[in-house]
Amino acid sequence: VETRCKTATLSPGNQYLSKEASRAMVERATISSGRDGVQFRHDVRLQWPSLQYMTDEQIFEGLYKDIQCPVCLLVAKDGWPFDERRQEAVLEKLQPTVFTTLPGSHHFHADPESANVVAQHVQAFLKS
């Protein structure tokens, strides 16, 4: 759990992970491997190189322009840092119904300190 908390701080920006969120992730991702050990489990395909890389033009002029439903974009204040110009371009193209920066880090939806606020915003969006 401590190691998982520490790995979050190694990511770009000012990221962190609470012990509660870390514990939940570690418990979900481990299985007993015998009397005294545990084994981490995950989908190894997540570490494979992507079979498809998209250019910005493909993303903005292909993928994003075809989105025709309301968009809710919640960003964590201390989450993954995004280039400001790129974020503005995303906002311009997606025209989100909701765009809010909330307290928290990359896993703000799983952290007890911020999960309720994230859930409230998602619920309000879905009801609108």
Side-chain angles (χ1 to χ4, degrees), residues 17 20 33 35 38 46 53 75 79 86 106 118:
L17 186 62
E20 296 87 355
S33 64
R35 196 178 313 159
V38 295
L46 294 173
Y53 291 96
V75 178
R86 184 173 180 83
H106 178 74
V118 174

Side-chain angles (χ1 to χ4, degrees), residues 62-73:
L63 185 66
Y64 287 174
K65 87 172 174 111
D66 290 335
I67 295 174
Q68 298 176 12
C69 61
V71 173
C72 175
L73 182 57

Side-chain angles (χ1 to χ4, degrees), residues 12-116:
N14 189 28
Q15 297 188 55
Y16 57 88
L17 186 62
S18 70
K19 286 186 180 180
E20 296 87 355
S22 178
R23 182 174 312 288
M25 290 176 173
V26 169
E27 287 175 355
R28 187 176 60 237
T30 56
I31 55 175
S32 177
S33 64
R35 196 178 313 159
D36 297 320
V38 295
Q39 180 179 1
F40 291 100
R41 64 178 174 184
H42 68 280
D43 187 339
V44 296
R45 294 174 295 182
L46 294 173
Q47 295 176 320
W48 292 358
S50 178
L51 297 175
Q52 178 178 358
Y53 291 96
M54 298 177 83
T55 65
D56 281 351
E57 183 179 358
Q58 290 169 320
I59 293 168
F60 285 94
E61 300 306 323
L63 185 66
Y64 287 174
K65 87 172 174 111
D66 290 335
I67 295 174
Q68 298 176 12
C69 61
V71 173
C72 175
L73 182 57
L74 304 178
V75 178
K77 180 177 181 269
D78 293 317
W80 200 270
F82 290 101
D83 175 71
E84 194 172 315
R85 287 189 323 230
R86 184 173 180 83
Q87 182 171 304
E88 289 299 322
V90 168
L91 292 172
E92 183 179 321
K93 188 58 84 172
L94 290 181
Q95 294 291 304
T97 308
V98 175
F99 171 63
T100 306
T101 300
L102 299 173
S105 186
H106 178 74
H107 292 285
F108 68 151
H109 59 282
D111 194 321
E113 293 180 14
S114 53
N116 286 338

